Amino acid sequence: MKIAFIGLGNMGGPMAMNLLKAGHTLSAFDLSAEASKKFGGEGLPIAASAAEAVVDAEVVISMLPASAHVEGLFLGGAGKPGLLDSIRAGTLVIDSSTIAAATSRKVAEAAAVKGIAMIDAPVSGGTGGAIAGTLTFMVGGEVQDLERARPVLEKMGANIFHAGAAGAGQTAKICNNMLLGILMIGTSEALALGVANGLDPKVLSEIMRRSSGGNWALEKYNPMPDVMETSPASKNYAGGFGTDLMLKDLGLAQENATAVRAATPLGGLARSLYAAHSLAGHGALDFSSVLKLVQKAS
């Protein structure tokens, strides 16, 4: 299958590489020359523009930072044409960005007018899951479009859920990430408290992992350095899922909660704490670095 992949960041790059390894024909593009050079050096064909990448593509996949980027890419603006003008009718578009559900619906509706099928398919699983091809996809859109996408999604992920109509995948994602942000803060507080009392963080982590406080952070993504070799915390919080990206997702959750009049007090508090952490100069670090916010100074 000929696939165009737009967006080669920490998540998109490895996802595109897994499709290439699976035997698909790819044409990729990213505005970052550094990202293009990195993955181009690993054998990924790089196009000169997004419009060039989608020529004759059967499937177009995008993995971009925010709603404005997705809307700008597909719909254009300020006199610039959108990518939907370059994509041929009958093509399937899979947007794996995490953006506002309303934006997903807006772009999907514009795509439908041009005879282009589109699903929103944000992911969970972090950079480790992107590299290993074990991501979870939360899909919004028509069932038949999901089934068209399934053979492609299966090369990048281990779990595929149909959440509902267009935008539903985004809603599921912000619910998940709101919970993740809250859990990471709680896990960091507990570990910091234990260490302040002289406990070994490895021992405490294992105790809590096997007890009622067990959660994904303790299982896969420990925020304390040198407890889990594979976690960003043990790599100076480099790579992974940035604090500013978590802040963005928590903001989306609060915007959605306001729109539907849902009560999310812990989600609101988590957003404020990540905002403070970002303002302290840690926005580019992995979100598990929020441990620094609650850690006792040594």
Side-chain angles (χ1 to χ4, degrees), residues 38 67 186 203 289:
K38 175 184 176 182
S67 297
V203 174
S289 65

Side-chain angles (χ1 to χ4, degrees), residues 72-289:
L73 174 69
F74 288 106
L75 303 184
K80 295 182 179 180
L83 198 61
L84 290 181
D85 292 330
S86 300
I87 299 172
R88 64 183 182 182
T91 301
L92 172 66
V93 174
I94 302 170
D95 179 40
S96 287
S97 316
T98 297
I99 60 175
T103 301
S104 284
R105 289 191 290 268
K106 179 179 180 179
V107 178
E109 289 169 3
V113 170
K114 294 179 177 294
I116 299 167
M118 184 170 187
I119 62 173
D120 47 290
V123 303
S124 179
T127 52
I131 294 169
T134 57
L135 293 169
T136 292
F137 285 92
M138 309 164 209
V139 180
E142 298 295 329
V143 173
Q144 63 267 28
D145 296 330
L146 167 57
E147 293 310 310
R148 281 181 63 190
R150 190 177 295 276
V152 175
L153 299 180
E154 287 176 341
K155 301 304 180 185
M156 300 181 288
N159 304 291
I160 302 169
F161 295 99
H162 185 222
Q170 301 295 352
T171 301
K173 176 63 188 290
I174 62 171
C175 290
N176 177 80
N177 276 26
M178 183 178 73
L179 178 58
L180 174 60
I182 294 168
L183 284 174
M184 187 58 76
I185 293 171
T187 300
S188 295
E189 284 189 0
L191 286 170
L193 176 62
V195 170
N197 279 278
L199 296 185
D200 183 329
K202 289 185 178 181
V203 174
L204 178 57
S205 293
E206 188 63 11
I207 290 170
M208 295 193 297
R209 188 179 76 83
R210 295 179 178 273
S211 303
S212 55
N215 63 68
W216 185 83
L218 289 169
E219 289 280 351
K220 305 285 188 182
Y221 219 85
N222 198 294
M224 187 69 70
D226 303 320
V227 170
M228 189 174 289
E229 184 180 345
T230 57
S231 72
S234 297
K235 303 169 186 175
N236 295 317
Y237 299 104
F241 185 66
T243 292
D244 282 344
L245 289 175
M246 174 56 79
L247 180 57
K248 179 208 73 173
D249 289 359
L250 289 169
L252 289 173
Q254 291 309 294
E255 290 171 10
N256 185 277
T258 299
V260 300
R261 302 183 67 184
T264 55
L266 289 180
L269 177 57
R271 185 192 177 282
S272 294
L273 291 173
Y274 279 104
H277 186 50
S278 178
L279 286 171
H282 306 302
L285 298 182
D286 181 78
F287 81 105
S288 61
S289 65

